Amino acid sequence: MSLKFSSVFPLKHARAHEVCGDSALSFAAIAAGMTKGAVVWISEDWRPTVNPEGLAPYCDPGRLLLTRAGNQLTALASAETALRSGAAGLVVAELSGTVGLTEGRRLQLAAEAGRTTAILLIPEGAGSNAAETRWRSTGVAAPPGPSSGLAPVPRQNGHDSTHWRWSLIKNKIGTLSEWVVRWDAAAHRVIVVSEAGG
């Protein structure tokens, strides 16, 4: 049975979701653009600070509230506080290590209490069983160059920067699947290019 993309994205509200992969930041930026209200973006001090203007194709940079944390424990505590407050539409936390079941459950409960959605950007294999969904977002290999007769596409790190493979690798309430998607900036929505498998 094929899983409909619209049944899992936009992400289920008031839940904690996880994203890994080389394009996890793009996934979070798109989700931020589709969220109403402020977006709290938390990252550890050693990481480069996300540039709000760089996210402008996906979301309004004026809605981003950037927070820096000394370590992952502080980042998790900040995320929990922001979620529980209900003051933001989305809380994004960039994490460097494994999220334990206790931490994951605390974030899930805070998201439910504050009616706020959480996205945890995690390393591969570092997720918590408490997350509602876990996604892997990767770039799609760019098509051949101009000599192929195809229109050139923007490239970023050797990938077509306009297309991603979004794989749903954990889903508490259903099946798993994956899609090739692109962002339509004019319509301000995600377009499914093809179902990649399930």
Side-chain angles (χ1 to χ4, degrees), residues 42-46 68-78 94-97:
I42 303 162
S43 58
E44 296 172 59
D45 285 340
W46 64 269
R68 304 292 279 168
N71 55 43
Q72 179 163 310
L73 185 61
T74 306
L76 288 166
S78 297
E94 295 181 74
L95 304 174
S96 57

Side-chain angles (χ1 to χ4, degrees):
M1 183 168 127
S2 181
L3 181 66
K4 287 184 68 171
F5 183 73
S6 61
S7 71
V8 290
F9 197 90
L11 298 172
K12 191 170 182 180
H13 182 67
R15 298 287 188 273
H17 305 271
E18 297 173 340
V19 185
C20 62
D22 61 15
S23 299
L25 191 70
S26 298
F27 184 104
I30 288 169
M34 297 179 77
T35 300
K36 291 184 173 141
V39 176
V40 175
W41 197 293
I42 303 162
S43 58
E44 296 172 59
D45 285 340
W46 64 269
R47 289 182 180 273
T49 303
V50 68
N51 180 351
E53 293 299 324
L55 303 183
Y58 310 107
C59 64
D60 174 6
R63 292 192 304 118
L64 294 177
L65 303 169
L66 303 180
T67 302
R68 304 292 279 168
N71 55 43
Q72 179 163 310
L73 185 61
T74 306
L76 288 166
S78 297
E80 183 179 345
T81 300
L83 287 166
R84 196 170 296 284
S85 77
L90 177 69
V91 175
V92 177
E94 295 181 74
L95 304 174
S96 57
T98 300
V99 179
L101 181 59
T102 300
E103 293 90 351
R105 185 68 183 138
R106 288 180 66 95
L107 291 174
Q108 188 68 35
L109 292 171
E112 291 172 14
R115 306 290 305 147
T116 303
T117 304
I119 296 180
L120 308 178
L121 304 181
I122 60 169
E124 188 75 37
S128 164
N129 284 335
E132 183 77 15
T133 62
R134 183 173 308 118
W135 297 77
R136 182 180 297 116
S137 176
T138 57
V140 174
S147 63
S148 68
L150 299 173
V153 295
R155 288 177 179 258
Q156 180 179 1
N157 299 328
H159 294 101
D160 175 350
S161 65
T162 61
H163 289 75
W164 301 277
R165 180 179 307 274
W166 285 3
S167 304
L168 183 59
I169 58 176
K170 178 189 184 290
N171 183 1
K172 271 190 170 179
I173 58 167
T175 58
L176 308 180
S177 194
E178 61 183 36
W179 303 268
V180 173
V181 300
R182 70 178 177 85
W183 176 245
D184 184 332
H188 203 70
R189 67 186 186 104
V190 175
I191 305 292
V192 175
V193 176
S194 67
E195 186 169 349

